Amino acid sequence: MVRHPGRSDTRPSPSGTPRAPLAQGEREPSGPGRLRSGRLWKALSGRSVAGQVFVLQVVIVLLLVVSALTALVLQERHDSSREARNRSLAVAQTFADAPGTAAALRLPDPTAVLQPRAEAARKATGVDFIVVMNTDGIRYTHPKPNRIGKKFVGNIGPALAGGIVTEEVHGTIGELVQAVVPVRDANGTVVGLVSAGITTAHVGGTADQQLPLLLTAAAAALALATAGTALVSRRLLRQTHGLGPDEMTRMYEHHDAVLHSVREGVLIVGGDGRLMLANDEAQRLLDLPADAERRRVLDLGLDAETATLIASGRVATDEVHLVKDRLLAVNQRPIEVRGGPPGSVVTLRDSTELRALSGRAEVARERLNMLYDAGVGIGTSLDVTRTAEELAELAVPRFADYATVDLYEAVLKGEEPKPGDALRRVACTGLRKDAPLYPVGERFQFVPSSPQGRSLQAGESVIEPRLRDSPGWRAQDVELTGRILEFGIHSLITVPLRAGNMVLGLANFCRSEKPAPFDAEELALAEELVARAAVSIDNARRYTREHGMAVTLQRSLLPRNLPAQSALDIAYRYLPAQSGVGGDWFDVLPLSGARVALVVGDVVGHGLHAAATMGRLRTAVHNFTALDLQPDELLGLLDELVARIDQDEIPADEADTAATITGATCLYAIYDPVSRRCTVARAGHPPPALVRPDGSVEFADVPAGPPLGLGGLPFETAELELPAGSSLVLYTDGLVEDRQRDIDEGLELLAGALESAAGGTPEETCAAVLERLPARPSDDVALIVARTRALGADRIAAWQVPADPAAVSEVRSRVTRQLADWDLDELSFTTELILSELVTNAIRHGRAPIGVRLLRDRTLICEVSDGSTTSPHLRYAASTDEGGRGLFLVAQLAERWGTRYTPAGKVIWAEQPLQ
């Protein structure tokens, strides 16, 4: 540092004593009042000795006040408790010994005499209650009349023995003290008890009188401590000017060290244009002479522009000036605006090397940003084409003017590519839309001499800085490449999309607007971008393959055509999820007696395992339906099946890694067109929606059982009566629930869609519901809309049969007449034979009541019911047996036959086709 010989490093104070030097940016206070108040606050802030003494005094006063308050509260509590005991005991004892108390207890109605006395005594003595009771603790008096006749709450044992009980309890009116004393007759016998009580809050109160005095004394002590500390602080501030000698020395040394160690030039120029201070870095940058300080800036040999700026004192921000061979960024600020002397502060920063580095740093930063954007912006979906488009969109215009992506056809199908196959352009992005490049969707093959052909053959990147000088590239298509050169494309980078040892295709980057050709550094950046995109494209390819396999499996397991039946008019929809394949499924199963079963379910999870499990559950439902079970019984069997699937098939050593069934839901419904009743049970599935013939929509109140596989709880059924023309809507949760809305909102939307489509066909209802879904839902959606039909009374014939073998002939006669009415005379013989065998078996082996029912539906259905639950079995009778051939004949004559159980017994049925 260069100092003027006559320069002083301190500044005089008003009293003539030396004062600490002003630090950079420090200014003198504007007046004595501001100086005193600022230093006084500093002294009281706790950093000075006076401040520390003040804090200590405040702590001592606060401790004394807290101790006094604590002692006062404890004493008040003790006095209140003692006073409450004395008063309650005195009142109870006085009332017990009062004349007439013992005599009143012997009266038929003690309350009439004692209640007025007790209330008068209570009000006169100020207690909260006076209770007179018999020796069993039953109250005769109480301030609240509704408690008279109830048992007293407290300890009365000692009082019954002639003693006195005083206890503190927590009652409905707060903390209180109650006393219980005996009432004796003339012979000294305890004939009753008297209890008096008073809350401690109603006793005492001396603390409230002493508290203001105590707080006033504390406030006075704090005021005296503050005044004393302030007087001491002012005296210390006048003597030391707020700083001690060590502190003043340390401040000066620190300021001097910082000023001359920073890598930035600092100048202080006086108001007269003279240089007052220059640190070491400023002397080096400006090459100042040794005696520069105290000289005029214009006389220091600086260039005229820089010298004029420094001498003028005007504000400057990062003004660049050429001083000899250096580019200096100059910042200048005046110092008098902060109360200092006239002048300015100038800072100088050498930006020669920074400007050279800033260009390269900007390029590196942009490349890092591109790589980061590639990491988060490429591969956002498991779609091969979209991933390729994301790569092209990222590269233009930040890296190239045009970018294209070409993939093998097999990659688009999810398969592994084969060398030599044709490529298809899947993405093309550029600054202009009229570039003469292969369009998206074009199939082509590159010649071996072209850069793309060499890249595919070697599996390495190829750069062509100047396409005009590349005859191999022009050999691809002379006419097309000529138009490309005329368009202005002059430089090319082609990079293979590699996934391990497999080449998926090519990425091409072209330059036309930027005149500079691609270089080696840009080739490395292109390879990094393409490598990241190749991983995402390969993942999308694998997903496409697995998704296609799963969809194929899933669709093969779902019903392709609905079975023929007359009870329901059915329409359905199935939508696969946007990503992954789920386990949603549905089915329509005809049952005996013209009934139809509807089932819809959902296996938790996605993928092949969920689809395979769905197929197994659907097969199981088909098998269980053959048993003609009730919905709750069928769900119970499914529940056991799901619980056993993983336990039986997953080896112990693969239990931690193998896919398991995390749960499944199911809804099973049986509709009977004869009774128009629908029996429904569900296992963790959303309830069905009902659309009445008048268009009203409601969700059926079906008991919600646990999902399949949990076990432990039985399933319950609900019976719904559905008029003809009603619609039963079954669905999976993908229809009403997704990430954007909860299930309640989804159910409201479903109800609105069903109301708007009321009166339409089931197909129209399905279309109206799906219109409100996104194009690609996040979960699978299965939807069934079933409009009910009723089997008319003219197509039903039923009658009761007495348990007499002679009644079989009457059954045959009635059947013959009924079939004649239905124009089915050709079925009379077989029907008579079937019913004869079934009714005879019911009479011999069953129990009354026995009934016969004929249904004319798509087939002729014969049903015989009885009160027994024993099921007949088909067997082959020996040649010597006299019977046992009845069911064999029924099985030969009928198209189908079977048994179903009812709460009252069983029904044996047989179906014959209508010829």
Side-chain angles (χ1 to χ4, degrees):
M1 177 177 178
V2 179
R3 293 184 175 88
H4 195 274
R7 174 183 171 184
S8 173
D9 291 333
T10 60
R11 46 194 170 93
S13 66
S15 60
T17 59
R19 294 174 58 182
L22 284 172
Q24 183 177 357
E26 184 181 0
R27 60 184 178 85
E28 291 286 353
S30 60
R34 183 179 299 177
L35 173 64
R36 287 193 299 271
S37 61
R39 291 182 177 177
L40 179 60
W41 170 251
K42 181 179 179 181
L44 293 177
S45 63
R47 298 181 181 179
S48 64
V49 175
Q52 295 172 1
V53 172
F54 172 70
V55 172
L56 179 61
Q57 290 176 342
V58 171
V59 171
I60 292 174
V61 171
L62 291 178
L63 287 176
L64 292 175
V65 172
V66 171
S67 300
L69 287 175
T70 304
L72 182 61
V73 170
L74 293 177
Q75 183 63 36
E76 174 67 15
R77 289 184 177 177
H78 178 267
D79 294 344
S80 298
S81 177
R82 184 176 58 185
E83 175 65 18
R85 287 174 178 269
N86 294 338
R87 187 184 299 182
S88 61
L89 179 59
V91 173
Q93 189 68 53
T94 302
F95 195 89
D97 297 339
T101 301
L105 290 172
R106 300 184 185 277
L107 296 177
D109 186 9
T111 300
V113 176
L114 294 176
Q115 176 69 6
R117 295 181 184 179
E119 286 300 295
R122 179 182 67 82
K123 296 177 181 179
T125 57
V127 296
D128 290 311
F129 66 85
I130 297 177
V131 174
V132 182
M133 68 198 87
N134 61 13
T135 55
D136 294 329
I138 303 302
R139 301 187 184 103
Y140 290 144
T141 67
H142 196 278
K144 297 181 179 180
N146 61 348
R147 298 189 181 180
I148 295 174
K150 298 182 179 179
K151 192 172 181 63
F152 175 73
V153 179
N155 183 15
I156 64 175
L160 291 174
I164 295 175
V165 180
T166 304
E167 56 183 349
E168 295 182 6
V169 297
H170 181 78
T172 57
I173 58 176
E175 298 290 339
L176 57 87
V177 177
Q178 64 182 14
V180 182
V181 299
V183 179
R184 303 175 185 270
D185 59 6
N187 298 326
T189 303
V190 177
V191 296
L193 303 174
V194 175
S195 175
I198 184 171
T199 57
T200 55
H202 294 167
V203 183
T206 58
D208 296 340
Q209 301 173 2
Q210 298 175 3
L211 185 60
L213 179 61
L214 181 61
L215 294 178
T216 302
L222 287 175
L224 290 175
T226 304
T229 304
L231 292 176
V232 173
S233 300
R234 290 189 60 186
R235 186 173 184 85
L236 290 175
L237 289 173
R238 284 197 303 267
Q239 294 177 354
T240 63
H241 301 286
L243 295 173
D246 294 339
E247 194 176 17
M248 294 172 59
T249 302
R250 185 169 58 254
M251 178 182 293
Y252 177 79
E253 291 174 349
H254 288 176
H255 288 186
D256 189 68
V258 170
L259 183 64
H260 293 283
S261 61
V262 296
R263 299 299 298 171
E264 190 172 75
V266 179
L267 302 175
I268 298 179
V269 181
D272 56 356
R274 297 182 180 274
L275 180 63
M276 307 300 297
L277 173 67
N279 69 346
D280 295 343
E281 184 66 11
Q283 292 187 12
R284 184 184 71 83
L285 294 176
L286 298 177
D287 195 15
L288 297 176
D291 59 345
E293 292 190 6
R294 298 295 180 181
R295 293 178 54 184
R296 294 177 59 83
V297 174
L298 298 176
D299 300 336
L300 296 178
L302 302 176
D303 65 281
E305 185 178 357
T306 304
T308 303
L309 170 63
I310 296 175
S312 66
R314 66 177 176 84
V315 176
T317 302
D318 286 337
E319 288 191 13
V320 179
H321 291 263
L322 180 62
V323 179
K324 297 183 180 179
D325 59 344
R326 294 187 177 90
L327 287 174
L328 301 182
V330 181
N331 289 273
Q332 185 167 260
R333 294 291 185 275
I335 58 177
E336 64 268 16
V337 295
R338 297 187 178 182
S344 60
V345 175
V346 183
T347 59
L348 310 170
R349 185 174 64 254
D350 191 354
S351 62
T352 306
E353 298 178 358
L354 292 177
R355 285 185 174 271
L357 293 174
S358 62
R360 293 195 294 270
E362 182 65 26
V363 174
R365 182 167 57 253
E366 174 60 23
R367 292 180 178 177
L368 288 175
N369 289 337
M370 283 189 63
L371 294 177
Y372 173 78
D373 293 341
V376 299
I378 297 178
T380 58
S381 66
L382 292 173
D383 183 86
V384 174
T385 301
R386 181 55 195 155
T387 304
E389 292 173 349
E390 290 170 347
L391 171 61
E393 292 169 357
L394 176 70
V396 178
R398 299 168 66 178
F399 176 70
D401 298 329
Y402 297 90
T404 62
V405 179
D406 309 320
L407 298 177
Y408 286 110
E409 293 255 21
V411 175
L412 300 175
K413 301 176 182 178
E415 302 172 359
E416 293 187 1
K418 298 179 181 179
D421 290 349
L423 295 169
R424 183 179 294 275
R425 180 145 294 175
V426 295
C428 181
T429 304
L431 299 178
R432 295 170 55 181
K433 302 296 184 181
D434 57 344
L437 302 173
Y438 287 131
V440 173
E442 183 81 10
R443 294 179 71 254
F444 47 81
Q445 286 184 318
F446 289 106
V447 298
S449 62
S450 65
Q452 294 88 344
R454 287 184 280 131
S455 178
L456 289 175
Q457 186 175 3
E460 298 178 354
S461 303
V462 175
I463 181 173
E464 288 290 349
R466 295 175 179 80
L467 289 175
R468 290 186 178 275
D469 302 334
S470 175
W473 172 71
R474 304 193 69 172
Q476 174 69 29
D477 187 331
V478 177
E479 180 182 356
L480 178 62
T481 54
R483 287 191 284 121
I484 290 175
L485 292 176
E486 291 177 1
F487 186 76
I489 296 177
H490 59 83
S491 188
L492 168 70
I493 290 179
T494 180
V495 184
L497 288 155
R498 296 179 59 90
N501 296 325
M502 184 170 50
V503 177
L504 306 176
L506 288 171
N508 305 292
F509 305 97
C510 303
R511 181 166 286 177
S512 63
E513 301 296 329
K514 300 176 183 178
F518 288 115
D519 56 23
E521 292 184 1
E522 291 169 323
L523 175 63
L525 175 61
E527 290 176 339
E528 183 68 21
L529 290 175
V530 173
R532 300 192 179 197
V535 174
S536 299
I537 291 176
D538 187 53
N539 289 339
R541 177 191 68 83
R542 295 172 183 270
Y543 170 78
T544 301
R545 179 185 61 190
E546 295 181 2
H547 185 266
M549 294 171 57
V551 168
T552 301
L553 172 63
Q554 185 184 42
R555 292 196 178 278
S556 66
L557 297 175
L558 290 172
R560 298 185 180 181
N561 296 304
L562 296 182
Q565 48 83 31
S566 303
L568 297 169
D569 183 11
I570 297 177
Y572 68 91
R573 293 290 189 276
Y574 181 84
L575 296 180
Q578 179 178 2
S579 61
V581 174
D584 291 18
W585 54 284
F586 65 92
D587 226 328
V588 179
L589 305 170
L591 301 177
S592 63
R595 298 171 304 134
V596 178
L598 299 176
V599 58
V600 62
D602 183 7
V603 176
V604 177
H606 292 81
L608 291 174
H609 185 68
T613 303
M614 175 268 289
R616 299 177 69 174
L617 292 180
R618 180 169 177 256
T619 302
V621 171
H622 273 262
N623 295 333
F624 294 150
T625 302
L627 302 176
D628 222 330
L629 301 174
Q630 289 297 311
D632 56 337
E633 297 175 355
L634 186 140
L635 291 182
L637 294 176
L638 280 181
D639 183 55
E640 296 179 5
L641 174 65
V642 173
R644 290 199 311 266
I645 285 179
D646 289 329
Q647 299 176 4
D648 296 342
E649 298 188 0
I650 298 177
D653 56 346
E654 299 179 7
D656 295 335
T657 58
T660 60
I661 302 174
T662 57
T665 65
C666 184
L667 186 146
Y668 189 80
I670 298 177
Y671 174 68
D672 187 352
V674 177
S675 63
R676 301 192 312 279
R677 288 186 174 275
C678 182
T679 307
V680 187
R682 62 188 179 114
H685 205 80
L690 298 179
V691 183
R692 300 290 182 181
D694 60 359
S696 61
V697 178
E698 62 180 287
F699 290 93
D701 186 13
V702 181
L708 299 177
L710 298 184
L713 294 175
F715 297 97
E716 301 180 51
T717 61
E719 271 205 5
L720 312 174
E721 185 170 354
L722 304 179
S726 302
S727 292
L728 185 66
V729 181
L730 309 182
Y731 52 91
T732 56
D733 58 357
L735 181 69
V736 295
E737 187 176 14
D738 59 20
R739 296 186 182 92
Q740 283 73 37
R741 64 170 185 265
D742 58 17
I743 190 170
D744 292 333
E745 183 180 354
L747 292 175
E748 292 180 3
L749 293 176
L750 174 59
L754 294 175
E755 288 179 355
S756 64
T761 64
E763 285 288 342
E764 294 171 346
T765 302
C766 285
V769 170
L770 295 185
E771 281 180 0
R772 305 200 178 192
L773 280 180
R776 302 185 68 183
S778 59
D779 193 7
D780 290 6
V781 173
L783 172 66
I784 300 178
V785 178
R787 180 159 296 171
T788 61
R789 298 170 180 164
L791 197 62
D794 59 336
R795 306 179 70 177
I796 304 171
W799 58 88
Q800 295 295 317
V801 178
D804 182 2
V808 176
S809 60
E810 177 64 22
V811 170
R812 288 197 297 266
S813 300
R814 297 188 67 170
V815 168
T816 302
R817 290 194 299 270
Q818 185 63 55
L819 294 180
D821 292 341
W822 287 344
D823 295 330
L824 298 176
D825 299 281
E826 66 276 7
L827 297 179
S828 296
F829 175 75
T830 56
T831 304
E832 287 180 14
L833 185 56
I834 290 172
L835 286 177
S836 296
E837 295 297 335
L838 295 181
V839 172
T840 301
N841 283 344
I843 294 173
R844 289 180 178 178
H845 307 292
R847 293 198 304 264
I850 300 173
V852 174
R853 187 172 72 166
L854 295 180
L855 302 177
R856 182 185 178 186
D857 191 34
R858 301 178 65 87
T859 60
L860 179 62
I861 303 171
C862 303
E863 295 181 346
V864 176
S865 62
D866 67 82
S868 172
T869 58
T870 303
S871 176
H873 296 282
L874 179 66
R875 66 184 181 88
Y876 291 95
S879 59
T880 59
D881 292 342
E882 295 183 1
R885 298 175 179 84
L887 287 181
F888 180 78
L889 292 175
V890 171
Q892 295 299 315
L893 296 175
E895 185 178 51
R896 292 195 312 153
W897 76 281
T899 304
R900 72 173 182 270
Y901 295 94
T902 65
K906 68 176 182 297
V907 175
I908 302 176
W909 55 271
E911 292 184 5
Q912 301 176 76
L914 297 179
Q915 299 177 354

